[in-house]
Amino acid sequence: MTEIAKAVSVARGLDGRVAPESLEQSRQRLGPFTDAVLIDAQINGQRAHDLGWRPSGPSLLDDLATIGNA
């Protein structure tokens, strides 16, 4: 999440700056979505690759980097 937040910060012209906030601040700002963001889940695409999927576009971080240029 930190890498994504930094990429969005760069795209928004904030030079990659991000700042931590307390759980309470996150809950006030994000509401129920806070728990989804804070879940400790690890994801990989191995099964998709096993089924033959091959990415053809930019990575999420590369795509976020172009937001500011749109």
Side-chain angles (χ1 to χ4, degrees):
M1 288 303 293
T2 301
E3 287 181 73
I4 293 171
K6 286 180 180 181
V8 171
S9 174
V10 168
R12 299 288 307 265
L14 301 173
D15 300 320
R17 292 188 311 268
V18 296
E21 65 184 15
S22 70
L23 178 58
E24 182 57 36
Q25 290 170 315
S26 295
R27 289 197 191 284
Q28 288 176 357
R29 189 169 56 84
L30 300 174
F33 184 64
T34 304
D35 292 326
V37 173
L38 294 176
I39 194 167
D40 185 19
Q42 296 184 11
I43 301 169
N44 74 55
Q46 186 59 51
R47 181 69 177 133
H49 286 274
D50 292 347
L51 293 171
W53 177 78
R54 298 294 178 260
S56 60
S59 70
L60 174 61
L61 293 177
D62 289 340
D63 198 29
L64 288 172
T66 64
I67 290 174
N69 300 326

